[in-house]
Amino acid sequence: MELGRRARSVTSLEYSHKFCVDLRLKIGAQNVVQGDAAILPFASGAFTAAIAVLVLHHLRSVEAQDRAFAEIYRVLEPGGVFVALEVDDGWLTRVAHFRSTLVALAPKSAEERVRAAGFSKIELTSRSGGFRLRAERS
Ligand SMILES: C[S@@+](CC[C@H](N)C(=O)[O-])C[C@H]1O[C@@H](n2cnc3c(N)ncnc32)[C@H](O)[C@@H]1O
């Protein structure tokens, strides 16, 4: 299959050393990098897309989330796409995160914060229990 001018590959970023090992050994994932979404260990413009599935609310503060938005913007190439899936705040979410980090993002506020990081063409899709954000790097 024609993949275009350069080879496409997927890189997984994971904070936990144990989960990095699991990704490599149990799933056979390649290109697993241990690191913090708020300080991405990648070159600027390195990626065509970034996807954060149920990760952002695990960052320890609103400031760390905003740093992550800025970092994701930095590592995307112009026109690159960022997609985030997040849970809504609520009692079920809070119970599920007992003994775990939960810094819930309100959908509209998340949209504004992603815009403040420089993203445009932002689409917010809400569903029962959560929401999806899609945005493009300018
Ligand atoms: C609910 S899990 C979701 C994992 C995966 N995206 C999925 O959908 O199955 C949240 C993940 O975020 C990771 N995480 C927590 N803090 C992080 C950070 N600062 N940077 C990157 N990943 C982080 C956790 O280690 C955990 O693997």
Side-chain angles (χ1 to χ4, degrees):
M1 180 168 48
E2 176 60 54
L3 292 177
R5 280 185 296 116
R6 56 183 175 150
R8 303 293 186 194
S9 65
V10 173
T11 299
S12 301
L13 180 89
E14 171 52 55
Y15 190 73
S16 149
H17 174 70
K18 178 188 181 307
F19 289 171
C20 283
V21 172
D22 286 351
L23 281 168
R24 292 186 190 109
L25 297 184
K26 294 185 181 174
I27 301 176
Q30 299 176 344
N31 297 331
V32 178
V33 176
Q34 186 177 8
D36 184 346
I39 322 168
L40 291 176
F42 304 121
S44 300
F47 296 97
T48 55
I51 304 171
V53 179
L54 303 177
V55 170
L56 295 169
H57 66 269
H58 279 282
L59 274 62
R60 293 177 187 278
S61 64
V62 168
E63 291 73 25
Q65 292 169 347
D66 284 340
R67 283 199 299 276
F69 291 143
E71 280 288 86
I72 292 164
Y73 187 91
R74 180 183 66 76
V75 303
L76 284 173
E77 66 180 24
V81 174
F82 171 44
V83 174
L85 302 184
E86 271 303 318
V87 283
D88 287 334
D89 199 359
W91 70 268
L92 189 57
T93 303
R94 292 183 182 217
V95 168
H97 290 80
F98 181 63
R99 296 181 193 274
S100 175
T101 304
L102 173 63
V103 180
L105 297 92
K108 271 289 172 192
S109 156
E111 180 179 352
E112 290 310 313
R113 292 162 61 197
V114 164
R115 194 184 315 282
F119 286 95
S120 58
K121 298 183 183 174
I122 301 168
E123 296 171 13
L124 175 64
T125 311
S126 289
R127 290 203 178 157
S128 171
F131 63 95
R132 184 191 81 149
L133 260 180
R134 182 194 184 281
E136 288 186 24
R137 189 206 193 285
S138 304

